[in-house]
Amino acid sequence: MIQLKKIVLFLVVSFSIGLNAQNTFKNWPDIIRKNESSWFGSEEAKKIAENVLLYQRNIGGWPKNIQMQHELTPAQKKDLTALKNTAVEATTDNGATCQEMLFMSKMYAQVKDERYKESFLKGINYLLEAQYANGGWPQFYPLKKGYYTHITYNDDSMVNILSVMRQISEESDFYSIKPSKEVVKKCKKAFEKGIDCILKTQYKQNGVLTAWCAQHDEVTLLPANARAFELASLSGYESAKIVLLLMSIEKPSRDIVTAVKSAEAWFEKTKITNLEEKRVLNGEGKIIDKKMIPATNAGPIWARFMDLETNEPFFCDRDGIKKKSIDQIGSERRNGYSWYSDAPKEVLKKYSAWAIKNGTKVSSADKKNVTLITVAQDGSGDFTKIQDAVYACPAFPYEKVTISIKNGIYNEKVRIPEWNTNVVLQGESKEKTIITFDDNFSKINLGRNSTFYTYTVLVEGDDFSASNLTIKNASGDNGQGIALSIVSNRAKVSNCNILGNQDTLYLSGKEAKQYFVNCYIEGTTDFVFGSATALFENCEIYSIKNSYVTAASTPEGIQFGFVFKNCKLTAEASVNAVYLGRPWRVYAKTVFLNCELGKHIKPEGWENWSKPEAEKKTFYAEYNCTGEGFQPSKRVSWSHQLKKAEAEKYTLDNILKDEFSNWYSK
């Protein structure tokens, strides 16, 4: 009896093992990902592996949409053998190649057949060879004419490849096959280039980073069309996996953090919560119709295709004509394509924890009203870096958000983006709270416009203010190097030191108005320049060498340009030949009222920058100034000495007032 029980038990266990060794999945991707590891040692798996080896082209890639578990006829095997040298249809689309490599890895873990290892390694070489120099991957390689050459995010193609590159470069245990150190190094470089490509292709909408398109031109990196019904657009689906990949990177760079934060803001902005998809099925469970029905507080979904400029969802038939709703296209495309997705939900779900971990959000930021963030280098505040505090600021807040900065030297570039309005940078003391960086034109080396990338602090958000700070470009007298760049409206800077050499302070914006009070500004050439309307009151303007103080580029028709009131112009002892200004653009306007001008100011005062027409179009003027440098009778003939009635229009209200009234007095 005991022996009989042992036999029965043995049969039961054997039967259970047999069941576990049987593949129960019908679809090829499911067979790879869902089977237990032990199944890959079964005879069934070995038989399928022969098919997978046969489908692989000698170049290393596989074709897509093949159910490789299906038994092949002798004729099919013969045809596949003939195709191996052709590289026909080798691709990474729809998971191809990446998933077959995973299959080979799982096979090799159970069965040490060297053919499996060789197949996997050929797959790696294929992916490495297929990568563009800019870091992207085409849909097909060797290149296939048409949209297939575009950098392809569609159906997660590039994300899948980068996941392979990452596992290999990190030498993780995800794959059972271990490539050589040389290959590992190549994969690491390929991953880094791929991430760089992702960052460069993130779409800017009116200057604001948003998300990605399903495909981007392989040369220009701009959004590109694919099939007739797949027009260039922002993608709710493909962008989600890209962001999740970026969020998975340990110690992300500043650019990665910006990319993720910008994409998350875009997902929040574009989510749809008033529609639900209703599917009509036939008796066999096949979709015969799709409808979008109104709903209240529905779970968020995102359109697969959104207009590049407006974010409005659109839909296309094979005629390529945009339609505003899914019911306006024919049943074939309506039912045979995924037009909506909830994939970005995973990004929104994980974002808060990611943001706190990576220093982009204060732990209390789940509160809707963040109005005070503290930066301290000793770790006693919310952050140790100013830029991280900026990342934590809510977009377009209703109230001022004060970033209180404790004393310290903060060696960093700080950018306050357009969506971070109402930001206040408040230092503990002007002398000891110092933001400094050392970029200059030659160091940046980004072409003819390199100057504008050299900033230490860049302000793009409206209604900005700063106080009790030193902002410095520490590159020295080595060409253009901006300390503070303000390209926004209604910016107020008080009790600050702004230090640099050439191009210290850049103020821009045709309609922008900016206010500096009780500040110290120093530089060499054109160290106050730009197109904004800016008022300087009770400021010291210090010249380090003989050159030009201002270089205004006031647009035509603007009433005021740069206005200096009750300011003091001083200089180093050796300086003795400084112009008040020269016109960067011919309609430049610069006026000094009630200012004390040191002896370093040249008697002629102004220079035309080799632009004779500027003598007729600029407006350079002074009123009631004092000091050895004030020599009105020796000024160039095309400048002006204002009369009292003319000077009276240069009031605080007249210069700075706009629809927001007296913003400058707050």
Side-chain angles (χ1 to χ4, degrees):
M1 183 64 117
I2 293 173
Q3 187 67 26
L4 179 61
K5 287 182 178 178
K6 287 182 179 179
I7 293 171
V8 170
L9 180 61
F10 173 78
L11 290 172
V12 169
V13 171
S14 299
F15 181 67
S16 298
I17 293 173
L19 281 178
N20 288 336
Q22 290 178 356
N23 167 54
T24 58
F25 302 105
K26 294 181 179 180
N27 294 320
W28 172 233
D30 290 340
I31 289 173
I32 301 170
R33 290 174 172 79
K34 294 184 179 180
N35 271 315
E36 296 291 334
S37 58
S38 60
W39 175 83
F40 291 89
S42 69
E43 291 303 314
E44 182 184 13
K46 292 177 187 177
K47 187 176 179 180
I48 294 173
E50 295 303 314
N51 289 355
V52 179
L53 289 169
L54 198 53
Y55 273 107
Q56 187 180 26
R57 310 302 192 234
N58 287 339
I59 195 175
W62 280 268
K64 66 176 180 177
N65 300 334
I66 306 294
Q67 297 298 322
M68 296 196 180
Q69 73 277 20
H70 292 172
E71 189 170 350
L72 296 171
T73 66
Q76 289 173 321
K77 291 180 180 180
K78 183 179 178 181
D79 291 341
L80 286 172
T81 301
L83 284 173
K84 287 187 76 67
N85 282 322
T86 67
V88 170
E89 296 298 302
T91 183
T92 56
D93 192 29
N94 289 359
T97 300
C98 295
Q99 63 188 10
E100 283 75 40
M101 289 174 63
L102 179 60
F103 177 82
M104 283 304 174
S105 170
K106 290 188 174 185
M107 288 298 302
Y108 190 74
Q110 301 298 319
V111 182
K112 291 300 184 282
D113 187 326
E114 290 302 304
R115 295 178 304 156
Y116 303 157
K117 180 178 180 180
E118 181 185 358
S119 172
F120 178 86
L121 295 176
K122 283 168 66 177
I124 296 176
N125 289 333
Y126 171 78
L127 296 179
L128 290 171
E129 188 176 329
Q131 188 178 29
Y132 286 128
N134 60 24
W137 272 271
Q139 189 175 127
F140 283 80
Y141 185 80
L143 297 178
K144 182 179 177 181
K145 289 183 180 180
Y147 65 84
Y148 309 103
T149 62
H150 294 326
I151 293 169
T152 303
Y153 298 128
N154 193 39
D155 293 325
D156 306 323
S157 176
M158 192 159 143
V159 170
N160 291 337
I161 298 170
L162 287 172
S163 297
V164 173
M165 294 292 115
R166 183 180 186 180
Q167 294 293 346
I168 295 169
S169 67
E170 293 178 352
E171 299 183 271
S172 72
D173 293 328
F174 185 80
Y175 293 115
S176 66
I177 299 163
K178 306 302 177 186
S180 68
K181 293 294 183 182
E182 182 183 0
V183 171
V184 169
K185 187 177 180 180
K186 287 181 179 179
C187 290
K188 185 176 188 298
K189 185 176 180 181
F191 180 79
E192 291 170 352
K193 286 172 61 179
I195 295 300
D196 185 58
C197 179
I198 284 175
L199 296 177
K200 287 178 178 176
T201 50
Q202 188 172 16
Y203 186 72
K204 273 191 174 182
Q205 191 180 81
N206 298 320
V208 178
L209 287 171
T210 56
W212 290 263
C213 309
Q215 50 277 319
H216 289 253
D217 186 276
E218 64 274 20
V219 177
T220 66
L221 304 185
L222 295 173
N225 295 334
R227 290 177 286 188
F229 55 90
E230 294 174 325
L231 302 181
S233 60
L234 290 167
S235 171
Y237 172 76
E238 276 79 12
S239 296
K241 289 293 180 69
I242 292 172
V243 177
L244 289 170
L245 173 67
L246 295 178
M247 290 173 72
S248 70
I249 295 173
E250 291 293 327
K251 297 181 180 179
S253 68
R254 189 177 302 175
D255 288 340
I256 291 174
V257 168
T258 300
V260 172
K261 183 173 182 181
S262 301
E264 186 270 346
W266 184 81
F267 284 138
E268 284 285 6
K269 183 178 181 179
T270 58
K271 66 184 179 182
I272 300 166
T273 57
N274 61 351
L275 288 177
E276 288 181 339
E277 183 183 89
K278 181 180 179 181
R279 297 184 176 186
V280 180
L281 309 178
N282 62 14
E284 299 175 352
K286 183 178 179 180
I287 299 172
I288 58 174
D289 199 12
K290 286 181 186 177
K291 295 180 179 179
M292 301 305 297
I293 58 174
T296 303
N297 296 324
I301 56 175
W302 288 260
R304 185 81 174 263
F305 298 88
M306 289 183 240
D307 187 273
L308 291 168
E309 302 309 320
T310 67
N311 298 320
E312 291 183 4
F314 69 83
F315 312 85
C316 283
D317 250 321
R318 294 187 184 274
D319 57 8
I321 299 174
K322 287 184 180 182
K323 302 294 174 58
K324 290 188 175 182
S325 64
I326 195 172
D327 58 3
Q328 292 178 315
I329 61 175
S331 61
E332 186 266 336
R333 283 296 81 201
R334 183 170 69 248
N335 303 324
Y337 199 78
S338 298
W339 295 101
Y340 290 93
S341 171
D342 65 356
K345 281 200 310 184
E346 191 68 13
V347 173
L348 301 186
K349 179 181 177 182
K350 294 181 176 181
Y351 178 76
S352 183
W354 175 89
I356 292 170
K357 176 183 176 183
N358 291 287
T360 65
K361 189 176 182 182
V362 288
S363 57
S364 62
D366 288 336
K367 299 175 183 178
K368 291 185 178 180
N369 296 317
V370 177
T371 58
L372 177 62
I373 301 170
T374 302
V375 179
Q377 290 185 324
D378 62 4
S380 61
D382 298 304
F383 299 101
T384 59
K385 292 185 177 181
I386 299 166
Q387 187 63 59
D388 290 340
V390 174
Y391 290 145
C393 293
F396 305 109
Y398 292 106
E399 300 178 74
K400 291 283 185 183
V401 180
T402 299
I403 298 176
S404 177
I405 308 169
K406 299 299 183 182
N407 286 341
I409 299 175
Y410 297 85
N411 196 329
E412 57 178 307
K413 285 174 81 78
V414 176
R415 176 191 172 216
I416 300 172
E418 177 263 347
W419 53 88
N420 287 133
T421 57
N422 279 306
V423 169
V424 177
L425 295 185
Q426 186 178 79
E428 186 174 356
S429 71
K430 177 174 65 175
E431 295 78 15
K432 295 182 180 180
T433 307
I434 302 168
I435 311 171
T436 181
F437 210 77
D438 62 355
D439 275 341
N440 59 47
F441 189 99
S442 298
K443 181 179 177 182
I444 288 287
N445 194 25
L446 292 172
R448 64 186 299 172
N449 295 311
S450 293
T451 299
F452 305 103
Y453 298 95
T454 64
Y455 63 85
T456 296
V457 175
L458 169 63
V459 180
E460 298 170 325
D462 290 345
D463 300 294
F464 166 83
S465 63
S467 62
N468 306 328
L469 293 167
T470 291
I471 300 171
K472 182 177 182 179
N473 185 304
S475 64
D477 193 7
N478 293 302
Q480 300 95 321
I482 297 173
L484 175 60
S485 175
I486 302 179
V487 295
S488 62
N489 195 18
R490 296 182 300 279
K492 181 178 179 180
V493 180
S494 57
N495 195 37
C496 287
N497 294 326
I498 304 167
L499 312 179
N501 283 269
Q502 184 173 349
D503 294 352
T504 303
L505 178 60
Y506 177 53
L507 307 173
S508 184
K510 182 178 179 180
E511 303 293 337
K513 295 186 177 182
Q514 298 152 8
Y515 184 34
F516 293 79
V517 59
N518 299 324
C519 290
Y520 173 87
I521 304 164
E522 73 171 27
T524 57
T525 301
D526 305 332
F527 62 96
V528 180
F529 73 115
S531 62
T533 294
L535 173 62
F536 299 82
E537 278 197 315
N538 302 314
C539 295
E540 182 176 355
I541 313 299
Y542 187 84
S543 292
I544 297 175
K545 71 176 185 179
N546 292 333
S547 198
Y548 308 87
V549 175
T550 68
S553 56
T554 317
E556 183 180 8
I558 296 298
Q559 186 176 7
F560 304 101
F562 294 161
V563 179
F564 296 82
K565 291 185 71 176
N566 303 312
C567 293
K568 181 182 290 188
L569 274 66
T570 58
E572 287 191 1
S574 61
V575 176
N576 59 12
V578 174
Y579 289 94
L580 293 171
R582 60 177 180 171
W584 185 17
R585 295 294 181 267
V586 296
Y587 291 100
K589 287 186 177 181
T590 304
V591 177
F592 290 84
L593 301 98
N594 304 317
C595 292
E596 182 181 333
L597 309 182
K599 63 182 180 180
H600 61 292
I601 300 299
K602 289 177 71 69
E604 56 267 44
W606 311 90
E607 210 263 353
N608 69 8
W609 208 337
S610 300
K611 301 171 184 174
E613 72 272 28
E615 296 184 7
K616 297 179 180 179
K617 296 176 179 178
T618 59
F619 187 81
Y620 285 154
E622 300 161 86
Y623 173 74
N624 196 36
C625 291
T626 60
E628 294 179 67
F630 180 54
Q631 301 185 50
S633 64
K634 296 181 181 180
R635 292 295 191 247
V636 293
S637 61
W638 43 276
S639 68
H640 305 270
Q641 295 297 320
L642 300 179
K643 296 178 180 178
K644 183 178 180 180
E646 294 173 317
E648 286 176 349
K649 71 178 181 180
Y650 288 87
T651 65
L652 189 68
D653 284 346
N654 283 347
I655 298 167
L656 298 178
K657 193 171 184 179
D658 64 6
E659 69 272 21
F660 286 78
S661 187
N662 60 341
W663 59 271
Y664 39 85
S665 65
K666 297 177 182 177

